[in-house]
Amino acid sequence: MKRIVQVRKLVSSLVVMLLLLSVLAGCSGSKTSTDKTASTAPQQKSGYPTKPITFVVWSSAGSPLDLFMRKLADLTKKELGQPIMVENRTGGNGAAAMAYVNSQPADGYTVLSTTGSLTFAIAKESVPFKADDFIFVKSFQAEPSAIAVRKDSPLKALENFIDYMKKHPNGLKIGGYASGGFHQYVLYRLQQKANFEATWIPFEGGADAVTNLLGGHIDVAVITPSTALNQVQSGAIRLLAISTDKRSPYFPDVPTFKEKGYDIVEMLWRGVMVKKGTPAELIQRLNQAFDKVAQNPDWKKYMTDYKQEEYLLDSQGLTELVKREIADRRAFLEKGGFLKKK
Amino acid sequence: MEVLNNLLTGFGVALTWQGLLYTLIGVTVGTLVGVLPGLGPSATLALLLPVTFGLDPTFAIAMLAGIYYGAEYGGSTTSILLNLPGEAGSVVTCLDGNLMAKKGRAGAALGIAAFGSFIAGTIGLIAFTFMAHPLAKWSLSFGPPEYSMLMMLGLVAAASLSRDKVKGLVMAILGLLLGTIGTDTVSGSERFTFGIANLMSGLSFIPVIMGLFAVGDIINNFTETSETGASVTGVSYRLRDLLPTREDWSYSIWPIIRGTVVGFLLGTLPGSGAAVAAFLAYSVERAVGRRRQLLGTGIIEGVAAPESANNAVTAGAMIPLFSFGIPGTPTTAILAGALMMYGLQPGPFLFVNHASFIWAVIATMYIGNVMLLVLNLPLIGLWVQLLKVPFYLLAPVVLVITVIGAFSVNNNIFDVWILLIFGFLGYLAKKNKYPVAPLVLGMIISKKLEQSLRRSLLMSLGDLRIFVSSPISLALSILVAVALLATIFSFFKSKKGVRTQGA
Amino acid sequence: MNVNRLPEGIFVIIIGLVTIWLSLGYSYMERFTPGPGFFPFWLGLLLTVLGFIMLVSSAAQVRTLRRQQVTSDSRPVGNEVTKEEPVIGASTPFTGWSDLSKVFAALIILVLLVLAMDWLGTTISVALFTILLIWFLNPRVSWKIVLGTGVLVAVASYLLFVVTLEVPLPKGIFGF
């Protein structure tokens, strides 16, 4: 008798769980409707794709890379006429996602995010993969690095900074995201070309470095300028130089390193790659769709909203870039003592 | 006064039927996600982000923010009922909350968690509405040396969590050690990864926490319970009898206020998080509470303080986001992303360029807090019934939830193995009476503590005086020293106590 | 309360020493600041010290307790916090072999669940796991309840996590 009562209790609590669930399902209803519009999009004659595609992201939900992949998935599914799922598989500096993609068939239905940080990871051998394990499909966007100081800093231009550092080795507190990563690499290139000594203070993220710069805990930050967009626009933070090739349309007043006589053009790009062995015609099909996405006004708006530089490279161009970057970065890491001693 | 006017206009938008509807959806989903362990608010936000595209930005952001603060409300439920903390912020709630449930007072614990969260959330919002500017300044004044000392304070607090100081310290240090696994962000080198790629980004907190608490507890129950199952009998299920009594309130009101202050102030500091706030709020009660001796035996203050603190954090965390446009937590980072998707750049300009939007969102947060209270109170009666489910039915369900929850953190099966390993370790700890909460706190603050220390020394080129050079770091250093001395003193006193007690 | 902490103390000392040994593999100082080996080294040292404190205090307490038991039969009064009486005994992590076998049986069922997830898919594995565990915990429950709960848990978790929350749970050979 008692047991029946208990079971009734259990059932009733499960029913409530299902009720909560239906509320949730109700609000995700609009999503299924967008999926429907996707499937009514013009179907291509070629076989691929005939089933849903998965985009794997190696960073956590909500990161810039994740937002990039979600936006890309949203627009690509309309081109390919198949739904695209986005899965975040974090862990091991991207190694977990790479291992997962490698365990899936090379049929073009699993597409992995990729960024310029991959070339650091490969150069550093912190992931058990090589560039040849993947086919680089396309790069879409890139962000530069910039040297930033506070409004009240006496450093007015890049020359002041370099002069000061030459006179006072390690004299300024310089920091930015990560140790042995992109921004430190840019500073290292500048050190090489201008010949000065500096100590790097690594932070958890670009935002962390910006708050420390604003709070006066460090003197100079090397950051992706969009991390401090508000401060740059309001004048609370001044950018001394930026690592783009030509002046960035988003920061037209900031000189490039190149203009200042230091040939440093470095971009942290984002794109997609697939497992090696994926047939060339599938990659071509993907590239066709991606080319259309890149011209889509929705995409352009997203790029502007997020202050992303367009950085379109096809499979061949991107593969060459990756090879070159790995070599350059290995040299930097060796010199900085970041490589594992064997 | 201008603030009040703006806020009133905001309420005009928030009280429209769409405003109410989307806020309601947000807080409901938030509560659900908070109750489910593993899947956190940040993953849910990222998931729902594309869904919101068609909506008016005000309502979209109101809904997403509702998920964020709603999740903190839900987090306490499983901690109290099942000793299953769904996220790091509700670990401390387990200590007294689950004991209260075992004493048949789950309703009071859930009730005070809901009321405490409501009070903390609302006070936090008021502080955010009227004092965002000075608080923003305070949050900037925390650099690496200040963080080092703050985390040291957290470490001393870890020792205060358990009665047996030696065991507590051993566990806290083991936690710190576990926290060093992975890539060291200062030098970029790997530590204690033993070539396992999944360890490179460190152990995930949630599988470890769920393993130590819930799985360890269930395994332990395998050896103890008979088939009788239901641990609580003779509990009334009328809502009125479940709510906190007048006596409960008189014990809880100050812990709630103190918890709110601690939580809000820590929330404004990017990256310190709900867990540290809850731990510190608990140790504040240890230090100044009226019944501090009884903490850890299942008293209501042990729920009121940390639950208020972890909700106040969410309000505090909005300050760096709206004052600088710099998100301090993963979840606020997604909120920032959502704002940008609508072409609204998070930051101080938002108040200037889109004042009506931002004040409407703030108004929905006030309403959302009320909704959460109204939504959660009737649920208490239902949750308490869960305790009537016999153990042999409840155990498999909880284990399934923890396994799926652990998987969903990174969508990685590796985390499920971590869950099982720490489940076994949690069982061993329980059998030998080693407290697991200090280990969790140690693990959470490990990275921040070590890196802040080393970052400080990089800044000062090795000069130790950096830890006392600013007023805040000096004050914190003194606080750490005092707390440390008090701990050592009480350690010797308790050791003497054991001896004299034997004589 | 068991005051004999000898095995625990030795265990803590071993962990401490292993940590120190491992931390020596990372650089202790880099230029003028602590390197990656600094923090683990000190943690290992602290653990070792705590382990010794446990040994010493345990030995002292065992001695006083023995002396009391010889001289008088007055039982020590437990304070209001720990009501258990201090006893001397080999501290073992388990209360007995039957417990140990139950714990390992439960762990094995859990391990099987995780292994099965990749092969049979999460939904089926969850159903089987639930049925198996209920039966293991209480063999006298009617099979209707056992099966019903198993199916209900599996379906509910599928609807909640896979359909609604889009968690990419392992799918297995049947595709769900």
Side-chain angles (χ1 to χ4, degrees):
Chain A
M1 197 53 219
K2 196 178 164 200
R3 184 162 294 154
I4 294 170
V5 176
Q6 287 166 351
V7 171
R8 197 176 294 151
K9 293 273 156 66
L10 175 79
V11 171
S12 67
S13 53
L14 281 168
V15 165
V16 169
M17 240 174 83
L18 287 173
L19 275 176
L20 279 171
L21 194 103
S22 56
V23 172
L24 199 69
C27 77
S28 59
S30 53
K31 184 183 341 186
T32 41
S33 67
T34 53
D35 282 352
K36 267 183 210 120
T37 55
S39 56
T40 53
Q43 287 279 345
Q44 293 293 321
K45 284 185 289 287
S46 64
Y48 173 85
T50 54
K51 58 175 187 175
I53 301 170
T54 305
F55 276 13
V56 181
V57 186
W58 67 43
S59 65
S60 55
S63 59
L65 181 63
D66 176 63
L67 295 174
F68 158 74
M69 288 298 276
R70 281 176 198 273
K71 190 74 196 173
L72 184 64
D74 195 39
L75 296 177
T76 309
K77 75 181 175 199
K78 286 168 192 149
E79 298 298 334
L80 290 175
Q82 284 290 341
I84 298 177
M85 269 93 69
V86 180
E87 288 181 9
N88 302 84
R89 289 180 189 265
T90 53
N93 305 329
M98 288 182 234
Y100 172 75
V101 170
N102 247 10
S103 74
Q104 300 295 311
D107 56 5
Y109 287 100
T110 317
V111 176
L112 180 60
S113 64
T114 182
T115 74
S117 67
L118 176 72
T119 57
F120 279 102
I122 290 174
K124 216 171 175 178
E125 292 172 29
S126 60
V127 289
F129 294 97
K130 294 199 170 53
D132 297 339
D133 292 329
F134 298 98
I135 298 171
F136 295 86
V137 179
K138 192 176 183 66
S139 72
F140 289 85
Q141 52 172 231
E143 290 194 86
S145 178
I147 300 215
V149 294
R150 259 186 326 281
K151 176 174 61 180
D152 56 11
S153 165
L155 308 174
K156 300 290 176 208
L158 186 67
E159 294 86 343
N160 302 143
F161 170 61
I162 289 169
D163 285 350
Y164 189 91
M165 289 309 286
K166 278 186 167 166
K167 282 188 195 123
H168 310 87
N170 300 316
L172 292 171
K173 297 170 200 157
I174 309 171
Y177 170 55
S179 176
F182 176 64
H183 297 293
Q184 191 181 359
Y185 175 68
V186 170
L187 178 70
Y188 158 86
R189 293 279 311 269
L190 185 65
Q191 280 178 257
Q192 291 265 303
K193 298 212 185 276
N195 197 20
F196 62 86
E197 208 178 306
T199 303
W200 177 256
I201 303 162
F203 286 92
E204 294 289 287
D208 202 11
V210 173
T211 44
N212 273 283
L213 180 67
L214 287 173
H217 306 287
I218 54 174
D219 306 309
V220 177
V222 186
I223 49 168
T224 308
S226 62
T227 344
L229 205 55
N230 273 290
Q231 287 71 25
V232 173
Q233 285 173 349
S234 71
I237 281 182
R238 183 165 57 241
L239 300 180
L240 299 184
I242 194 165
S243 70
T244 45
D245 187 25
K246 299 192 181 82
R247 286 202 178 199
S248 161
Y250 305 118
F251 307 99
D253 304 332
V254 181
T256 63
F257 284 106
K258 229 172 164 177
E259 286 175 45
K260 294 282 181 180
Y262 304 100
D263 186 15
I264 303 166
V265 179
E266 289 294 336
M267 304 289 275
L268 197 66
W269 47 268
R270 296 194 187 96
V272 294
M273 62 187 189
V274 292
K275 186 184 174 179
K276 78 169 169 209
T278 306
E281 61 266 26
L282 299 193
I283 290 166
Q284 210 184 341
R285 177 79 194 90
L286 273 174
N287 250 320
Q288 278 171 10
F290 288 154
D291 282 338
K292 279 194 188 141
V293 169
Q295 300 311 319
N296 190 322
D298 255 19
W299 180 260
K300 300 254 180 201
K301 182 179 179 309
Y302 150 78
M303 295 282 281
T304 329
D305 286 350
Y306 280 76
K307 305 287 179 279
Q308 295 292 329
E309 314 274 341
E310 191 161 76
Y311 201 73
L312 296 171
L313 285 176
D314 62 1
S315 190
Q316 200 188 350
L318 186 57
T319 312
E320 280 164 15
L321 177 73
V322 165
K323 294 255 156 73
R324 198 170 61 240
E325 282 190 350
I326 291 174
D328 284 353
R329 279 154 193 192
R330 189 166 279 146
F332 153 64
L333 293 165
E334 251 162 26
K335 213 148 204 167
F338 291 107
L339 288 192
K340 278 179 262 181
K341 287 166 198 94
K342 293 243 166 93
Chain B
M1 267 314 94
E2 197 198 331
V3 171
L4 268 183
N5 268 334
N6 285 332
L7 192 60
L8 281 178
T9 326
F11 269 107
V13 180
L15 285 169
T16 57
W17 70 269
Q18 297 110 312
L20 290 173
L21 176 70
Y22 286 109
T23 310
L24 182 66
I25 293 174
V27 296
T28 311
V29 173
T31 305
L32 182 65
V33 168
V35 171
L36 290 175
L39 203 86
S42 56
T44 317
L45 244 56
L47 197 75
L48 287 180
L49 203 52
V51 182
T52 61
F53 281 154
L55 298 178
D56 179 277
T58 310
F59 303 132
I61 299 296
M63 184 172 113
L64 296 175
I67 296 174
Y68 177 40
Y69 55 78
E72 273 320 324
Y73 262 78
S76 59
T77 309
T78 48
S79 304
I80 291 168
L81 295 172
L82 306 169
N83 200 27
L84 167 58
E87 55 253 303
S90 40
V91 163
V92 208
T93 313
C94 288
L95 301 179
D96 283 82
N98 189 243
L99 282 175
M100 282 182 78
K102 284 188 174 135
K103 287 181 190 168
R105 303 219 60 220
L110 289 168
I112 210 73
F115 280 115
S117 300
F118 169 71
I119 296 169
T122 308
I123 295 180
L125 265 177
I126 294 171
F128 169 55
T129 313
F130 295 98
M131 305 199 304
H133 192 65
L135 284 166
K137 273 211 160 122
W138 134 275
S139 109
L140 277 187
S141 59
F142 270 69
E146 288 80 10
Y147 273 111
S148 309
M149 288 302 125
L150 185 67
M151 294 298 136
M152 286 294 267
L153 199 61
L155 190 60
V156 182
S160 80
L161 285 172
S162 66
R163 236 174 236 100
D164 190 327
K165 293 284 180 291
V166 176
K167 284 182 173 181
L169 267 176
V170 167
M171 293 303 266
I173 292 170
L174 285 176
L176 288 173
L177 213 50
L178 288 172
T180 61
I181 293 175
T183 310
D184 163 31
T185 44
V186 177
S187 69
S189 56
E190 285 162 28
R191 290 184 299 185
F192 306 117
T193 53
F194 309 106
I196 301 168
N198 278 311
L199 283 179
M200 276 180 215
S201 45
L203 282 177
S204 310
F205 295 131
I206 290 169
V208 170
I209 292 168
M210 291 198 303
L212 287 174
F213 278 86
V215 179
D217 213 28
I218 289 174
I219 294 178
N220 186 47
N221 277 338
F222 283 165
T223 66
E224 280 174 0
T225 47
S226 50
E227 289 125 30
T228 46
S231 47
V232 185
T233 43
V235 179
S236 164
Y237 291 106
R238 279 189 316 172
L239 191 57
R240 203 182 325 132
D241 304 328
L242 289 171
L243 294 181
T245 62
R246 190 181 288 265
E247 196 197 355
D248 288 336
W249 273 108
S250 82
Y251 280 125
S252 304
I253 193 73
W254 278 106
I256 288 176
I257 291 168
R258 285 190 287 255
T260 304
V261 173
V262 170
F264 187 77
L265 289 181
L266 283 180
T268 60
L269 304 177
S272 51
V276 178
F279 274 107
L280 277 180
Y282 192 83
S283 56
V284 166
E285 291 314 307
R286 253 284 143 75
V288 304
R290 226 195 313 168
R291 293 195 292 177
R292 51 179 171 269
Q293 300 298 337
L294 292 177
L295 269 179
T297 60
I299 59 171
I300 199 147
E301 295 96 307
V303 177
E307 276 307 309
S308 318
N310 67 25
N311 270 278
V313 165
T314 58
M318 300 282 174
I319 287 187
L321 179 62
F322 287 120
S323 306
F324 314 119
I326 294 167
T329 62
T331 319
T332 47
I334 302 177
L335 274 180
L339 286 169
M340 290 208 285
M341 287 235 165
Y342 287 106
L344 302 163
Q345 196 179 309
F349 298 129
L350 216 47
F351 283 93
V352 182
N353 300 340
H354 303 277
S356 61
F357 159 79
I358 200 73
W359 287 105
V361 169
I362 292 173
T364 65
M365 292 186 192
Y366 281 97
I367 295 168
N369 266 294
V370 178
M371 282 181 178
L372 278 167
L373 189 65
V374 176
L375 196 72
N376 274 276
L377 285 182
L379 277 178
I380 291 173
L382 203 105
W383 291 127
V384 173
Q385 310 227 357
L386 210 65
L387 293 174
K388 276 221 143 186
V389 177
F391 177 72
Y392 59 81
L393 290 181
L394 196 59
V397 176
V398 174
L399 286 176
V400 165
I401 293 175
T402 54
V403 165
I404 295 179
F407 179 86
S408 66
V409 177
N410 290 322
N411 296 331
N412 192 337
I413 203 88
F414 180 78
D415 285 330
V416 183
W417 294 116
I418 295 293
L419 172 85
L420 297 193
I421 291 169
F422 278 88
F424 183 60
L425 294 178
Y427 162 74
L428 289 183
K430 200 171 173 80
K431 267 281 178 274
N432 291 290
K433 300 209 159 49
Y434 276 79
V436 287
L439 187 143
V440 172
L441 181 58
M443 194 176 154
I444 288 169
I445 64 175
S446 177
K447 273 218 158 71
K448 193 94 191 165
L449 171 64
E450 183 195 3
Q451 285 163 7
S452 304
L453 284 172
R454 288 165 62 190
R455 212 169 278 152
S456 307
L457 290 171
L458 272 172
M459 283 167 57
S460 70
L461 303 181
D463 189 343
L464 285 170
R465 277 173 302 179
I466 190 166
F467 295 113
V468 291
S469 59
S470 85
I472 294 180
S473 63
L474 180 65
L476 283 169
S477 300
I478 292 171
L479 211 56
V480 168
V482 169
L484 208 60
L485 286 175
T487 314
I488 293 171
F489 179 69
S490 78
F491 171 63
F492 280 110
K493 222 172 79 181
S494 71
K495 261 190 95 175
K496 239 196 229 128
V498 172
R499 282 206 190 118
T500 45
Q501 174 202 327
Chain C
M1 191 174 72
N2 194 334
V3 295
N4 186 352
R5 286 184 180 179
L6 209 67
E8 294 166 41
I10 291 172
F11 188 62
V12 170
I13 291 173
I14 291 172
I15 299 180
L17 291 176
V18 169
T19 308
I20 293 176
W21 181 67
L22 283 173
S23 73
L24 292 178
Y26 314 114
S27 54
Y28 180 77
M29 289 296 267
E30 277 177 351
R31 292 171 72 196
F32 31 72
T33 58
F38 182 90
F39 196 60
F41 174 82
W42 282 97
L43 292 179
L45 200 66
L46 265 172
L47 271 183
T48 315
V49 170
L50 281 170
F52 275 110
I53 290 179
M54 285 166 82
L55 285 190
V56 171
S57 74
S58 149
Q61 286 180 27
V62 168
R63 202 163 45 232
T64 28
L65 212 62
R66 284 223 172 94
R67 207 179 303 139
Q68 287 157 20
Q69 281 172 355
V70 174
T71 49
S72 73
D73 57 352
S74 71
R75 286 306 187 97
V77 191
N79 58 21
E80 78 278 11
V81 183
T82 47
K83 293 207 176 67
E84 294 160 87
E85 295 167 356
V87 288
I88 315 169
S91 96
T92 48
F94 308 104
T95 37
W97 279 108
S98 74
D99 273 4
L100 193 63
S101 60
K102 266 190 190 166
V103 168
F104 277 116
L107 279 174
I108 287 168
I109 297 178
L110 271 169
V111 169
L112 284 178
L113 162 71
V114 182
L115 290 177
M117 273 162 73
D118 255 335
W119 176 52
L120 289 174
T122 308
T123 313
I124 294 177
S125 312
V126 161
L128 290 178
F129 166 79
T130 311
I131 291 166
L132 205 62
L133 195 65
I134 298 175
W135 178 78
F136 169 75
L137 287 169
N138 188 349
R140 284 177 297 162
V141 185
S142 96
W143 62 271
K144 277 183 198 157
I145 293 175
V146 176
L147 280 184
T149 318
V151 172
L152 203 65
V153 171
V155 170
S157 59
Y158 181 80
L159 285 179
L160 183 61
F161 290 103
V162 180
V163 177
T164 321
L165 296 172
E166 295 182 359
V167 177
L169 289 166
K171 286 195 178 72
I173 46 175
F174 302 112
F176 59 88

